[in-house]
Amino acid sequence: MSLSAFQGGPRSLVLAATVSVASLLALAVMAASMTGSSTRQGKRSAGKTKSRNKHKQKVFMRGLYNLGNTCFMNSTLQSLASLEEFNTYADNCVRLLAAGSPTNSHSTDAEIAVQLNRVLEQLRPQASRVSAYSPRALVNSLSKKGRWMSSRAEQDAQELFQMVSSTLQATMRDSDPSLFNSDFLANNAPIENSIISTTSSSGSSHSAGSKQHPSRRRSSTAACRMPPFANPLLGMAASRIACVKCGYTAAIRHFTFDNLSLTVPRARSTTVEECLSMYTVIDQLDDFKCRYCTVVATLAQTRTDIQKCQAELAKLDASSKRAVRQSAILVAQTDQQHQLEQALASNPEAELKGIKLVSPQPGASTKQTMIARTPKILVLHLSRSIFLPTGDTVKNTVHVRLQPLLDISPFSTTGHMNTGASRPISGPDAFSGMTNTDLYARAQRNNCLYRLNAVVLHAGAHNSGHYVAYRRVPLSTTDDPSDEASVKAEQPWTEEGRWFMLSDAETSEVSIDTVLSAGTGYMLFYERL
């Protein structure tokens, strides 16, 4: 299915079991590649698997019928179903609808929320083998909001994910607006992250007259409190623009996200960490007009105008009408000069009414975005589109290596904020001499340690192919030897799980090595530990 447009459109149940020729070919290629890696890696883990078999309980996964090129939806739903926090959130959404206004409970968003929750319930791990489930009712509900869901065109898994996330968010807000803090949910609001203090590039604290926006000097401990039924997908990012010429840093903008779209580099292979590094890299801008430089240029022009006005006034008869007019102009210019000086001293971003600003020549500046508040569920979209000069779009097939754990500390803000144009918003603390266990424990304390829970893969070309999902099922307490239980309670990152591949109605258990070596990941779903 397409990486840029949705597949969709209900078909009869006979056609539902049939996948397009392109999808079958793509799945065959995927299966062939996985067979080789599974054979090699399976031998290494055979001994470990045998030792655990006596502790395993039987677990079966339920597939979803393909209703006509709906593998993009099936793989996304299977991934969301693997996330316990998301299941709880969807269930709370339906509970709020039941207890709220009848008007809201009959809206399209409410209908989607109810049908989604029913599908998630059906996709929970089963104790016995069950037949695949048809999500037709959910498709019909989604089609009321997006016509592309009922079309036969190929569609994109990320677009469906965003539609589901925004629909649940809107449903929760409409059910009980008092549950939500508008400051946290407002996009691009220049609000303060309560855990961050600002420091200059030299490491000293900013004084009141330093070149920073005053909103970052105000305490706002309550500004970003999470609502009690917050979307677990929501995180917050911080974006900063700094002028290289004068060193001024504008107000750091915070915005919420439910997934991060990462560009996959054009290389032989890469990692998730390298993709995150590209997202948080300091970019150079050449056409940015610095507010501080603008006020400085306006003040310089105002002072020049005052000098000219004073010189002309000295040549005039003080009692003449022209002298009176010039005196009034001089008073206005002097008042303008005072406003500009006050702005430079306290807040360059302040509104300067009646003052025509002088536009300086655009200068060099830097821009960077980092994660300021980590979500409970981190969703990463690996953007694989390559736009050619001819106008065509092709798929970037670079192999992206995965790991069971992801530490996003290097890409997140810490307790101090740098305002130097050439320095990152926040730098990671020194990790030298720390073991992996210490690093994981530190990342977990900082809410920066995540475990891979599901992967949506795409096989095929940019505009055709097939989506499948890998999802993790945690081991129950009876699956683990008792002598390991205490260790896993203290170190949750050591907890193992069982992995399953789900290709529409087909399901099968696979090894973790098969998942990590797949390489064609399109969407990654992580749970915070």
Side-chain angles (χ1 to χ4, degrees):
M1 314 335 169
S2 171
L3 290 180
S4 58
F6 270 105
Q7 317 158 344
R11 296 181 181 178
S12 67
L13 287 177
V14 175
L15 290 178
T18 304
V19 182
S20 65
V21 174
S23 298
L24 288 172
L25 291 175
L27 187 59
V29 173
M30 180 182 291
S33 64
M34 290 190 296
T35 300
S37 62
S38 299
T39 302
R40 294 189 299 271
Q41 295 159 352
K43 292 180 180 179
R44 293 198 298 267
S45 59
K48 296 181 180 179
T49 302
K50 288 180 180 179
S51 65
R52 298 191 193 104
N53 279 341
K54 61 181 180 180
H55 303 292
K56 280 189 175 181
Q57 291 182 332
K58 288 185 177 181
V59 176
F60 298 90
M61 305 307 297
R62 190 169 199 173
L64 291 169
Y65 286 118
N66 190 309
L67 303 179
N69 288 334
T70 57
C71 61
F72 75 97
M73 181 187 69
N74 292 345
S75 58
T76 304
L77 293 176
Q78 290 284 5
S79 298
L80 292 174
S82 73
L83 305 165
E84 193 59 36
E85 286 282 354
F86 184 83
N87 282 270
T88 301
Y89 173 64
D91 187 61
N92 286 337
C93 183
V94 175
R95 290 174 183 272
L96 277 178
L97 282 172
S101 168
T103 303
N104 291 333
S105 62
H106 291 88
S107 67
T108 299
D109 286 349
E111 182 180 337
I112 293 174
V114 171
Q115 294 301 333
L116 172 66
N117 198 46
R118 289 176 181 173
V119 174
L120 294 177
E121 286 289 340
Q122 295 295 326
L123 296 183
R124 291 186 179 276
Q126 307 289 324
S128 59
R129 196 178 301 278
V130 292
S131 60
Y133 180 76
S134 172
R136 184 175 298 280
L138 177 59
V139 171
N140 293 338
S141 298
L142 290 168
S143 299
K144 296 178 182 179
K145 189 167 185 176
R147 291 185 177 180
W148 41 264
M149 281 298 301
S150 58
S151 72
R152 295 181 181 272
E154 297 183 342
Q155 305 295 343
D156 180 62
Q158 188 214 13
E159 192 173 351
L160 173 66
F161 164 80
Q162 290 177 318
M163 183 182 188
V164 169
S165 175
S166 62
T167 297
L168 290 183
Q169 184 72 10
T171 303
M172 291 285 275
R173 184 186 289 110
D174 293 341
S175 299
D176 192 345
S178 65
L179 294 175
F180 290 84
N181 185 312
S182 59
D183 286 337
F184 177 79
L185 298 174
N187 289 332
N188 301 316
I191 60 178
E192 168 83 357
N193 187 330
S194 59
I195 66 169
I196 293 177
S197 63
T198 56
T199 57
S200 65
S201 57
S202 61
S204 60
S205 296
H206 279 288
S207 63
S210 60
K211 296 178 182 179
Q212 60 165 328
H213 192 280
S215 66
R216 298 202 309 278
R217 296 196 295 268
R218 294 195 303 265
S219 173
S220 57
T221 305
C224 300
R225 289 199 184 107
M226 295 286 286
F229 297 112
N231 186 343
L233 300 165
L234 280 186
M236 181 179 287
S239 180
R240 180 203 67 187
I241 295 181
C243 178
V244 174
K245 179 181 178 181
C246 72
Y248 174 71
T249 300
I252 293 182
R253 298 279 171 175
H254 290 76
F255 58 91
T256 57
F257 64 85
D258 58 11
N259 73 107
L260 295 178
S261 186
L262 309 179
T263 300
V264 177
R266 301 177 70 175
R268 297 186 64 179
S269 66
T270 188
T271 64
V272 176
E273 290 80 1
E274 289 173 352
C275 294
L276 280 167
S277 294
M278 294 177 62
Y279 180 81
T280 59
V281 71
I282 300 177
D283 292 322
Q284 300 291 328
L285 305 178
D286 298 324
D287 56 353
F288 176 72
K289 292 185 179 181
C290 171
R291 174 72 176 188
Y292 192 90
C293 291
T294 298
V295 177
V296 168
T298 305
L299 178 58
Q301 182 62 52
T302 300
R303 287 171 175 168
T304 300
D305 293 341
I306 289 175
Q307 291 175 355
K308 291 181 179 179
C309 187
Q310 289 173 336
E312 185 174 349
L313 188 60
K315 301 175 183 178
L316 299 174
D317 182 357
S319 61
S320 66
K321 292 183 179 180
R322 186 175 179 185
V324 174
R325 288 195 301 269
Q326 285 297 109
S327 296
I329 292 174
L330 181 60
V331 170
Q333 291 174 337
T334 303
D335 179 66
Q336 178 174 308
Q337 174 181 300
H338 177 71
Q339 290 186 57
L340 293 168
E341 290 172 343
Q342 284 292 106
L344 290 178
S346 59
N347 181 13
E349 304 289 340
E351 183 179 2
L352 299 171
K353 293 183 178 180
I355 299 178
K356 184 178 180 180
L357 297 177
V358 175
S359 181
Q361 289 294 326
S365 60
T366 61
K367 180 180 180 180
Q368 186 187 28
T369 300
M370 295 186 75
I371 300 172
R373 175 160 290 138
T374 60
K376 291 183 179 180
I377 298 172
L378 178 65
V379 181
L380 301 179
H381 163 234
L382 302 180
S383 178
R384 293 181 173 272
S385 298
I386 299 176
F387 301 95
L388 302 178
T390 59
D392 296 325
T393 306
V394 297
K395 179 181 175 181
N396 185 347
T397 59
V398 168
H399 187 284
V400 179
R401 302 189 299 277
L402 305 178
Q403 295 295 332
L405 298 176
L406 177 65
D407 179 5
I408 64 171
S409 299
F411 319 107
S412 305
T413 57
T414 60
H416 297 280
M417 186 175 295
N418 298 319
T419 57
S422 60
R423 300 186 63 184
I425 297 176
S426 277
D429 298 329
F431 297 144
S432 58
M434 297 181 68
T435 64
N436 283 341
T437 299
D438 292 335
L439 289 173
Y440 290 151
R442 183 173 189 145
Q444 185 189 19
R445 288 195 301 271
N446 295 331
N447 290 329
C448 289
L449 185 62
Y450 287 84
R451 176 170 52 214
L452 184 65
N453 223 63
V455 181
V456 171
L457 298 97
H458 181 267
H462 186 273
N463 295 318
S464 63
H466 183 59
Y467 284 103
V468 300
Y470 288 124
R471 59 177 288 189
R472 178 181 180 274
V473 176
L475 297 176
S476 67
T477 54
T478 56
D479 288 335
D480 292 326
S482 58
D483 58 349
E484 296 181 11
S486 60
V487 175
K488 293 180 178 180
E490 296 178 0
Q491 302 177 2
W493 54 86
T494 63
E495 180 187 340
E496 299 179 12
R498 299 168 65 177
W499 283 87
F500 293 82
M501 185 184 79
L502 303 109
S503 175
D504 294 329
E506 299 296 322
T507 69
S508 61
E509 186 168 1
V510 297
S511 69
I512 179 64
D513 293 328
T514 299
V515 177
L516 300 181
S517 63
T520 58
Y522 182 62
M523 294 190 72
L524 311 176
F525 297 79
Y526 293 87
E527 282 191 322
R528 193 176 68 195
L529 297 177

